[in-house]
Amino acid sequence: DDAVWAERGEKALRERVRELTEAVRSTRRTVVAVSNEVGSGIVPSTASGRRYRDELGRLNAGFADECEHVLLVVAGQPVVLRG
């Protein structure tokens, strides 16, 4: 709910995202990540659905910023965004 999110949820999520992007930045290994892109469709009717959409979008953008190659796949067709 909004109170839990404001009290500790948002801070915890930001820290986990920071840890993930730092791990991607510091590894010498090849990393392949697959994620949904939920921000291109209809607006969710619930606050939690909108929060999920927005936070996943922020995560995807932050993760992509750390990557050398980024693909968006739509209906099985890749679109090179960076690479």
Side-chain angles (χ1 to χ4, degrees):
D1 70 19
D2 289 338
V4 173
W5 175 251
E7 182 181 327
R8 65 181 182 270
E10 184 174 15
K11 182 178 178 183
L13 179 62
R14 298 285 180 260
E15 179 62 19
R16 296 294 301 269
V17 168
R18 187 197 64 72
E19 291 170 356
L20 177 62
T21 54
E22 179 62 31
V24 170
R25 183 182 305 126
S26 64
T27 188
R28 304 187 95 182
R29 303 280 186 172
T30 298
V31 175
V32 176
V34 177
S35 179
N36 292 338
E37 179 53 66
V38 296
S40 298
I42 60 172
V43 175
S45 61
T46 64
S48 61
R50 290 187 296 276
R51 182 175 296 136
Y52 174 79
R53 175 206 57 198
D54 295 347
E55 295 303 333
L56 184 58
R58 287 184 188 97
L59 171 61
N60 288 343
F63 198 91
D65 284 345
E66 301 301 327
C67 298
E68 295 176 16
H69 304 285
V70 179
L71 297 174
L72 173 65
V73 178
V74 178
Q77 302 301 308
V79 178
V80 177
L81 301 177
R82 183 180 310 123

